[in-house]
Amino acid sequence: MPTSAALLDTIRSEVDRSLRGFLDRQRPLVSAPEIAPLVAAAEDFLSGGKRLRPAFCYWGWRGAGGGDDPALFTAAASLELLQASALAHDDVMDASDLRRGMPSAHRRFQAMHEKEGWSGSAEQFGENAAILLGNLLLVWSGEMWRTSGLPPAALAAAQPVYDHMRTELMCGQYLDLLEQVRGASTFDSALRVALFKSGKYSVEQPLRLGLVLAARGREPWIDRLCEEYGRNVGIAFQLRDDILGVFGDPAETGKPAGDDLREGKRTMLIARALAAASPTQAEEVRLTLGDPELERGGVDRLRRVIEETGALAACEKLIDDYLGQALRSLDDAPITPEARTALADLAVAATARRT
Amino acid sequence: MPTSAALLDTIRSEVDRSLRGFLDRQRPLVSAPEIAPLVAAAEDFLSGGKRLRPAFCYWGWRGAGGGDDPALFTAAASLELLQASALAHDDVMDASDLRRGMPSAHRRFQAMHEKEGWSGSAEQFGENAAILLGNLLLVWSGEMWRTSGLPPAALAAAQPVYDHMRTELMCGQYLDLLEQVRGASTFDSALRVALFKSGKYSVEQPLRLGLVLAARGREPWIDRLCEEYGRNVGIAFQLRDDILGVFGDPAETGKPAGDDLREGKRTMLIARALAAASPTQAEEVRLTLGDPELERGGVDRLRRVIEETGALAACEKLIDDYLGQALRSLDDAPITPEARTALADLAVAATARRT
């Protein structure tokens, strides 16, 4: 996919530049030298990533007639701060050790505590510092969005979308917690959680933000495109994420193999496997899913169940279906031809197999 | 103090009304019925409290010539959402069981998990839900502030103050974590943490927000008043909080007696006691401060050290001094006479002995 790869590269470098600029402006505001590790953690935590959310926002903006504007890149880049905040908190909540192949934020601060030989629990210090890092990234995301330099009328039009997205994200994460502890998840309930927690704020809402910013308001065709393209790409994206969480290469995911299985994530993939499992297979899942000590052998057995129940193939098929629907919805959308091509490429890039 | 009490009552009822209105507007946006406990927790968590921060904001606004305006109450009330967010996260970080005499947010969600008989760790569920509740309150605080209905020019003038306040709060909380684990705290370092973590965002910044909103900009006299009145009241307020955390009546503080001692808080009061302690007294502090199992006897012994070293009397004297400086700074400030009287009353109310 050279086209979308090149497009993403351009957007990525603009987004990176905006994020560096924002952090550089924050640094002098925080005068105490002890704060430096917090800002350094924010910086490292923001590096890397495919910048998909800013890309959807950017192509929404261009699709509705927006021109190339550094302010738009800044507003779009703020979505990465929001995402980084969610990841820092997620890793505390899931007790994850790794993020993008590096120590997660709480492990990083824990290691700092151990190295300095400070008193008290290093683990607790790490978690607390990561909660605060997540909070800082969260308030900075709103600030970067608002101070992007976009015209006030554009920002005012998009602000309700932005606010709704953030409320939805927090509530979706809470639904996800509930889903884990209530145990009995169906495909539909897993889908709902995936949509609220990730799908919407990964694709549909970033796209809507870009469209509404450029159009200076919400119009029926915008909501239609966001629902038909954005939601379907969001679901396919989440299904791909489910598959990567179980079968993904650690070099690609930055997480240990089968990490989602150890965390007991109730994904659409797992729901589909459980729905088709024999009693023996269901028992295998019950005994191993969510076991934090799960070894390679257990991961392999669970993977086999997911393949043998046909859940893996079914989810791959669903990804194709959702992607197909999304691509078809682009045909009639009154967006620029350039954006139509780019959004098609982006949808494929966001949901493609990584092998 | 009937005057300031009556003033606070009026402001409190307006603030309560604004908060109820805001939550009522949020509720339908979150369609899933399982979210109701999250909104209910937010509601309970926001009830009560003295609404001091909105009161400082209100009197800043009035002092710089602002009229009675429901929009200002809404903007000021948003400070309570920010404070509630900080408290929900603080209680997770400190593993506190109580807040205002009620279970803290994470204990509330933990109890819900236990009652429902869900799977997994109830304690972990409680902490994770409280992190998300704090995040929701944090994003709502920014939204309520922006959608208060104040004129865009006023909001634009005050926004940098608002953004700086939130960054300062997160960084101040991180400094507080550092202070606890590094152990060796001096009065000056404890003062710096108290200022960043609490003093500034309890008094100085709410006051500055009100003044800048009404004046539509930062003027030299505003910064002077905020530094001379706001900062001094903030420090005195925090010193009072230090004393209440050790000697306060649980019926008043809503926390078990001596809770700050069990948490090992490195307050100005403790720093002052350590600086004046004999080797035996210092050893007593070293052995008991921060012991989560500290019994009533240990609390009493630590209290005695704090009294016998003269730290209690010294801190009471400091409160008087800071308060005196704050009150004197009101004399020359170009604010309305009504605001001058109200701010004097508020300073006394925020720092007075509670016996």
Side-chain angles (χ1 to χ4, degrees), chain A residues 34 89 135 146 163 181 192, chain B residues 34 89 119 146 163 192:
Chain A
E34 299 97 318
H89 283 179
N135 290 354
R146 267 183 296 94
D163 289 338
V181 300
R192 190 183 61 147
Chain B
E34 299 97 317
H89 283 179
S119 67
R146 267 184 296 94
D163 288 338
R192 190 183 60 145

Side-chain angles (χ1 to χ4, degrees), chain B residues 43-76:
Chain B
E43 202 156 20
D44 287 353
F45 213 61
L46 281 165
S47 70
K50 286 180 283 298
R51 315 301 194 196
L52 278 178
R53 291 166 187 82
F56 284 114
C57 180
Y58 173 80
W59 282 112
W61 165 266
R62 292 292 304 275
D68 255 324
D69 185 339
L72 189 275
F73 283 116
T74 303

Side-chain angles (χ1 to χ4, degrees), chain A residues 35-52:
Chain A
I35 299 296
L38 203 57
V39 185
E43 201 155 21
D44 286 354
F45 213 60
L46 282 165
S47 70
K50 286 179 285 295
R51 315 301 194 198
L52 278 178

Side-chain angles (χ1 to χ4, degrees), chain A residues 47-63:
Chain A
S47 70
K50 286 179 285 295
R51 315 301 194 198
L52 278 178
R53 291 165 188 84
F56 284 113
C57 180
Y58 173 79
W59 283 111
W61 164 266
R62 291 293 302 277

